[in-house]
């Protein structure tokens, strides 16, 4: 399965700071919970990648 493989999976994504100074991405899908913690700098890099991908997708490119 690659980035362009479509899947029909219901999932929930929550994002927020933890009490230990990390940024948590918390995914819940099919009864499974996946917590992913990142230090603030890594979280900023992920946010930049998301924004760049959104811009590319909006321009119809991939």
């Amino acid at each position: 399965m690659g980035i362009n493989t479509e899947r029909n999976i219901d999932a929930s994504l929550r994002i927020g700071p933890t009490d230990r100074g990390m940024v948590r991405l918390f995914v819940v899908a099919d009864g499974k919970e996946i917590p992913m913690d990142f230090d603030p700098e890594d979280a900023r890099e992920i946010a930049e990648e998301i924004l760049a991908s959104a811009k590319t997708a909006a321009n119809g490119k991939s």
Side-chain angles (χ1 to χ4, degrees), residues 2-6 49 52-62:
I3 196 91
N4 287 317
T5 303
E6 290 189 33
E49 289 181 32
S53 294
K55 182 177 180 181
T56 300
N59 291 327
K61 302 174 187 173
S62 57

Side-chain angles (χ1 to χ4, degrees), residues 20-23 38-46:
R20 297 185 180 196
M22 302 292 279
V23 176
F38 301 92
D39 65 51
E41 183 56 35
D42 286 341
R44 283 186 198 95
E45 289 177 13
I46 292 166

